[in-house]
């Protein structure tokens, strides 16, 4: 996906998130994060947006500290969220292509990293806000959802912090049925997971212990533990989806 596509998704989903938060109210519970109410979600994503904006506008080359929660009454939180979201979108639109800044996942460039990461962060939390409201989820483009699956598997769960470990080696294949080429094989062991794209060639023909497939959006949100796995087609060892439910949080 192009950087401009990520920024446009960020723009749209940030607005939808704020709309849902405003309608649901600050006391609404967040189903995927039972310890959170809407005010906590708004505070979190508003701080994330401001944190990201600093890297994009200042070219910071070190992680730095995360912003503190705003000292605002409930009635002002959504407006504060909208302001920070707007500033992030503007920053990404106007940033130079050769932006130099700190990142924490592989990416073609720092600008590509921040656009991608903030788009997915915002989309997942937009789903949180709409679920808290009891509203239907706004559909995500299959290409964007497939990219998000790739980020989870080859980014977050490729590092030492991943808790997806097994005593005995196991293998898991994930396939998005509505996105061309969106298939991954994950090798699980007592080390960090190792993921490869397996749409063709000898790797794709190798048997695996479990295959999970379904529309990209449903698979994406299930991997983020925002949707149940029931709607997905699971073939083989069902202990592996259960392992993800228990240890796949980020």
């Amino acid at each position: 996906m192009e950087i401009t596509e990520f920024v446009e998704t960020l723009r749209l989903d940030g607005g939808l998130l704020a709309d849902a938060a405003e309608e649901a109210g600050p006391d609404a519970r967040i189903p995927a994060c039972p310890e959170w109410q809407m005010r906590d979600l708004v505070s979190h994503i508003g701080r994330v947006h401001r944190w990201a904006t600093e890297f994009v506008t200042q070219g910071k080359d070190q992680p730095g500290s995360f912003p503190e929660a705003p000292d605002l009454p409930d009635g002002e939180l959504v407006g504060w969220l909208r302001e920070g979201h707007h500033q992030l979108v503007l920053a990404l639109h106007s940033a130079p292509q050769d932006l130099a800044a700190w990142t924490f996942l592989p990416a073609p460039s720092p600008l590509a990293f921040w656009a991608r990461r903030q788009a997915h962060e915002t989309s997942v939390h937009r789903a949180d806000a709409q679920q808290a409201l009891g509203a239907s989820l706004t559909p995500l483009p299959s290409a964007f959802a497939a990219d998000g699956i790739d980020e989870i598997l080859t980014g977050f769960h490729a590092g030492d912090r991943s808790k997806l470990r097994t005593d005995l080696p196991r293998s898991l294949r994930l396939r998005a049925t509505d996105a061309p080429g969106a298939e991954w094989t994950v090798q699980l062991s007592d080390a960090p997971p190792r993921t490869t794209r397996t749409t063709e060639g000898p790797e794709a023909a190798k048997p695996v212990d479990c295959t999970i497939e379904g529309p990209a959006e449903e698979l994406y949100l299930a991997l983020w533990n925002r949707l149940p796995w029931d709607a997905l087609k699971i073939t083989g060892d069902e202990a592996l989806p259960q392992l993800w439910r228990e240890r796949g949080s980020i």
Side-chain angles (χ1 to χ4, degrees), residues 67-174:
E68 294 186 2
D71 184 16
L72 293 172
D74 287 341
E76 297 179 17
L77 278 174
V78 173
W80 171 84
L81 170 64
R82 292 187 192 275
E83 177 188 3
H85 167 250
H86 178 65
Q87 292 303 318
L88 174 59
V89 171
L90 289 180
L92 289 167
H93 268 308
S94 59
Q97 293 294 314
D98 61 351
L99 172 72
W102 175 79
T103 63
F104 59 87
L105 293 176
S109 70
L111 180 58
F113 165 80
W114 285 107
R116 180 197 205 193
R117 177 81 289 277
Q118 290 307 296
H120 287 298
E121 177 83 7
T122 304
S123 291
V124 170
H125 287 311
R126 182 268 299 162
D128 283 336
Q130 290 182 331
Q131 287 173 334
L133 176 61
S136 298
L137 296 182
T138 302
L140 285 170
S142 59
F144 177 80
D147 179 84
I149 297 168
D150 192 76
E151 185 197 44
I152 295 170
L153 297 177
T154 66
F156 284 109
H157 282 295
D160 291 339
R161 295 180 65 181
S162 175
K163 298 178 182 178
L164 285 172
R165 312 291 177 99
T166 56
D167 294 332
L168 296 175
R170 310 293 286 166
S171 55
L172 174 66
R173 183 159 293 149
L174 299 159

Side-chain angles (χ1 to χ4, degrees), residues 25 28 42 50 56 62 70 81 91 109 112 125 135 144 153-154 156 185 189 195 207 224 227 235 240:
V42 169
R50 285 163 170 80
V56 176
Q62 297 293 325
L81 170 64
S109 70
H125 287 311
F144 177 80
L153 297 177
T154 66
F156 284 109
T185 298
S189 67
T195 298
W224 277 106
L227 282 182
T235 306
L240 295 181

Side-chain angles (χ1 to χ4, degrees), residues 24-35:
D27 296 326
R29 291 285 177 183
I30 309 302
C33 306
E35 71 279 9

